[in-house]
Amino acid sequence: MAEEDYGCFVDWTQMGDLANSSGPSKLDVKDPLELKKLARQGHWAKNHKLRAQVYQQLIKAIPCRTVTPDAEVYRDLMGDSTGKKASSVIPLPDFVDGSAVPHYCLKADAVTTVHRVISCLAGQFPDISHCPALPAITALLLHFSADEAQCFENISRLLACNEPGRRLVDQTFLAYESSCMTFGDLANKYCPAAHKLIVATAQDVVEVYSGWQRWVLGDLPFSHVARVLDVFLVEGYKVLYRVALALLKFYRKQKAGAGAGAQPSEGQKQDSAEVKAEIQAFVKAIGSSITPDKLLEKAFSIRLFSRKEITLLQLANEKSLQQKGITVKQKRFYAHVEGYEPTLLLIRTCEADVCGAFLSTDWEERKRGGNKLSFFGTGECFVFRLKPEMERYEWVVIRHPELASSIKAQSSEDPAEDEAATDRQSSDDNSLPVERPAADPSNRLSPFLSARHFNLNSRNTSMFMAGNVDSIIVGGGEGNALYIDGELNHGRTARCTTFDNPPLCSTESFQVALLEVWGFQDAMASDR
């Protein structure tokens, strides 16, 4: 088959007319306006290989972060899977929020491939906290990829897009939730009849509109969603809103044609989940009554609908959600680092500063405080900066032992009692066993001990590391040596009592460009 380079994951028996390529086989257009026109017309929609080539061209043109994972990164991490079948399905990460992988005329084992790609993406993009659309987008682009490594690179570029004002994929709960509110605002303004129907029939309109992205990326048949992807890669996020509004208009028309024009009273409203299910069922079956061309025609017939208006609505809704405290913070950082002890945290800021911390204790220890933010760790912890110059700041008590005296020097008169107390402290603090003190009073304080083994003049000198869903903190007291917000996007640094360090970056507040954590495990423990 002519499409063998870009069709190895496709079950051609399910593709219908799309299995027989027709139309143009080459595209030399570079002009954005001309590409926009051709995309809407479906210029490359009937030739699978041309469509794949156009997708590669469009995606490679997306401006991305300096460090964006590519196909070679995937091959290094996952191996060369060409011609191999995966032995088991890797579970999808939590951030897809239960979204399944749409089959989209793929071979059965290609669904397993989608799981592999998303699993690798999760490791390379730890800042993603909520992305329900990712399974559908990955499945779609796998259709038009020569291998799974190329699919991985294409998705990576969509996720790493850094062009100002350009939005492609929601990656946080805040962005996703505000998009649902924005869709409601647009529906109220541009689809008043359909919006009134939802208000009249559903108990919770917001809950119904929370599924708007899934209508487009998940529920639409492949022939329709592929046409949407044609335009999306050229025009961006606003296309998803347009198509979803068109679907809402068609749904309302179908309900009216079925004799459902009478609006129920307040007490007769349907459960919101039932209305969502009705819309999903309608969208899944849309191929029997509405062609892809007709769907896009309806979507682009909506007038006075600009990217600027969407952006303003989105920002206003995000601000509203933040003021109400309705947001989900980054939890995946901990999922990656728990079970490793120690860990090395590295941060590069957008100003090119590089700093970090050596952290002695498993981050799972934070759970001992429940939801309350509490510090833990040992004197092994230290912070450092690598750029613009290299400096290391260890625990202040190591540099100034006069700030504390060892509890070891205050042993009880009963050796058995002293030994028992030592064992209890070792167990409670997850630190190394404490040896019996030597008679020499000059015995140096050990950084391997937790703070409870010292009589400290101030608790501020023992604030090593802390974390919850809102933040990651290293060092405490008068300030934090490092503070990273829950989304891993922004941070600040200041002098702290624990390490007596100056700010670790050239500016006290910074934006995170890259965050890495290196974990270490005991070799014997990993063998068990």
Side-chain angles (χ1 to χ4, degrees):
M1 179 176 289
E3 287 73 28
E4 57 186 0
D5 291 340
Y6 294 102
C8 58
F9 299 102
V10 180
D11 182 351
W12 293 98
T13 63
Q14 300 182 42
M15 291 285 283
D17 292 340
L18 293 176
N20 303 311
S21 292
S22 60
S25 59
K26 189 177 181 181
L27 182 72
D28 295 321
V29 177
K30 302 288 185 181
D31 179 65
L33 291 178
E34 186 65 19
L35 276 173
K36 178 178 176 179
K37 177 183 175 182
L38 294 177
R40 291 189 181 190
Q41 292 175 348
H43 182 77
W44 51 78
K46 295 182 179 181
N47 189 308
H48 190 275
K49 186 173 183 178
L50 177 61
R51 193 179 228 164
Q53 291 170 341
V54 172
Y55 285 3
Q56 305 307 316
Q57 173 187 327
L58 294 172
I59 292 173
K60 284 186 181 298
I62 295 174
C64 295
R65 304 171 192 166
T66 303
V67 180
T68 298
D70 59 13
E72 288 306 312
V73 169
Y74 186 86
R75 293 186 184 101
D76 288 342
L77 293 172
M78 308 297 283
D80 186 358
S81 58
T82 306
K84 299 179 182 177
K85 288 188 177 181
S87 56
S88 60
V89 177
I90 301 174
L92 292 174
D94 292 340
F95 64 67
V96 304
D97 198 32
S99 296
V101 176
H103 282 224
Y104 286 150
C105 306
L106 291 171
K107 295 176 181 177
D109 57 354
V111 175
T112 302
T113 301
V114 174
H115 281 244
R116 281 170 52 85
V117 172
I118 294 177
S119 174
C120 194
L121 289 166
Q124 295 299 303
F125 292 87
D127 51 333
I128 299 178
S129 58
H130 195 81
C131 192
L134 193 57
I137 296 174
T138 306
L140 279 172
L141 289 182
L142 187 65
H143 243 278
F144 305 99
S145 300
D147 56 33
E148 58 189 80
Q150 186 181 74
C151 177
F152 168 84
E153 178 174 329
N154 289 338
I155 300 294
S156 293
R157 296 191 66 83
L158 294 182
L159 295 173
C161 173
N162 63 355
E163 181 180 343
R166 186 175 186 181
R167 179 179 182 167
L168 292 174
V169 185
D170 290 334
Q171 299 174 47
T172 67
F173 182 81
L174 180 63
Y176 179 83
E177 193 70 6
S178 61
S179 79
C180 297
M181 295 174 63
T182 299
F183 179 77
D185 294 334
L186 295 173
N188 184 37
K189 183 174 181 179
Y190 295 105
C191 308
H195 179 68
K196 287 179 181 178
L197 174 65
I198 301 300
V199 171
T201 56
Q203 294 175 351
D204 186 347
V205 177
V206 175
E207 172 65 18
V208 174
Y209 288 158
S210 69
W212 79 272
Q213 280 194 25
R214 183 174 176 81
W215 303 346
V216 183
L217 298 170
D219 294 332
L220 273 177
F222 173 76
S223 56
H224 291 62
V225 74
R227 285 295 307 280
V228 174
L229 187 62
D230 292 343
V231 189
F232 169 77
L233 291 176
V234 175
E235 300 188 41
Y237 195 89
K238 68 175 184 178
V239 172
L240 303 182
Y241 281 123
R242 284 188 173 276
V243 173
L245 290 173
L247 291 171
L248 192 61
K249 284 176 173 283
F250 281 125
Y251 170 74
R252 181 254 173 190
K253 185 177 180 180
Q254 184 248 17
K255 293 287 285 186
Q263 297 183 352
S265 62
E266 187 70 26
Q268 297 175 324
K269 286 187 177 182
Q270 290 178 262
D271 181 79
S272 302
E274 293 180 2
V275 178
K276 283 180 69 175
E278 281 186 8
I279 297 176
Q280 280 188 272
F282 167 76
V283 174
K284 288 179 179 179
I286 200 171
S288 61
S289 57
I290 299 167
T291 65
D293 285 331
K294 189 175 181 181
L295 175 62
L296 291 182
E297 181 183 349
K298 175 68 75 174
F300 290 106
S301 67
I302 302 173
R303 300 297 179 187
L304 304 176
F305 194 101
S306 67
R307 179 183 296 179
K308 182 178 179 181
E309 179 181 5
I310 293 172
T311 301
L312 291 174
L313 284 172
Q314 188 82 17
L315 291 174
N317 287 324
E318 284 188 7
K319 184 176 180 180
S320 174
L321 288 169
Q322 288 173 326
Q323 290 174 341
K324 295 176 183 178
I326 303 175
T327 180
V328 168
K329 300 297 184 181
Q330 175 58 266
K331 300 177 182 177
R332 294 186 54 238
F333 171 86
Y334 301 116
H336 283 288
V337 300
E338 286 176 1
Y340 294 93
E341 184 178 304
T343 52
L344 184 66
L345 174 68
L346 292 169
I347 297 168
R348 189 182 70 205
T349 72
C350 290
E351 291 77 27
D353 293 321
V354 179
C355 61
F358 178 88
L359 303 167
S360 64
T361 306
D362 190 335
W363 278 100
E364 194 163 11
E365 282 290 301
R366 79 189 191 285
K367 296 178 181 177
R368 296 178 66 177
N371 293 325
K372 182 181 178 182
L373 186 69
S374 59
F375 283 87
F376 56 98
T378 72
E380 292 176 277
C381 295
F382 62 85
V383 295
F384 58 86
R385 60 185 175 193
L386 300 178
K387 288 184 179 180
E389 65 275 332
M390 295 179 64
E391 294 288 347
R392 174 176 176 269
Y393 305 96
E394 61 184 352
W395 185 25
V396 67
V397 173
I398 301 301
R399 302 200 305 277
H400 302 284
E402 68 274 10
L403 294 176
S405 58
S406 175
I407 291 177
K408 297 187 298 177
Q410 302 174 3
S411 302
S412 65
E413 295 182 0
D414 184 349
E417 180 182 341
D418 190 45
E419 184 175 354
T422 298
D423 290 341
R424 285 195 300 272
Q425 288 172 340
S426 298
S427 175
D428 291 345
D429 296 322
N430 194 27
S431 61
L432 295 180
V434 182
E435 297 180 3
R436 298 285 296 167
D440 184 1
S442 65
N443 200 25
R444 189 176 186 271
L445 301 181
S446 170
F448 293 90
L449 305 180
S450 71
R452 291 178 58 187
H453 292 97
F454 298 89
N455 285 330
L456 300 175
N457 297 338
S458 170
R459 182 175 177 273
N460 292 344
T461 58
S462 63
M463 294 180 172
F464 300 111
M465 51 194 290
N468 59 13
V469 295
D470 296 313
S471 59
I472 298 164
I473 296 174
V474 179
E478 297 178 0
N480 303 125
L482 283 171
Y483 174 97
I484 309 296
D485 72 5
E487 300 291 349
L488 304 184
N489 289 328
H490 298 88
R492 59 179 182 265
T493 176
R495 181 178 295 277
C496 78
T497 306
T498 307
F499 302 108
D500 191 27
N501 60 281
L504 301 176
C505 301
S506 55
T507 58
E508 292 195 359
S509 296
F510 57 85
Q511 184 172 352
V512 177
L514 183 67
L515 184 148
E516 289 186 359
V517 180
W518 292 75
F520 303 89
Q521 280 183 317
D522 183 278
M524 293 181 64
S526 63
D527 289 340
R528 288 197 292 268

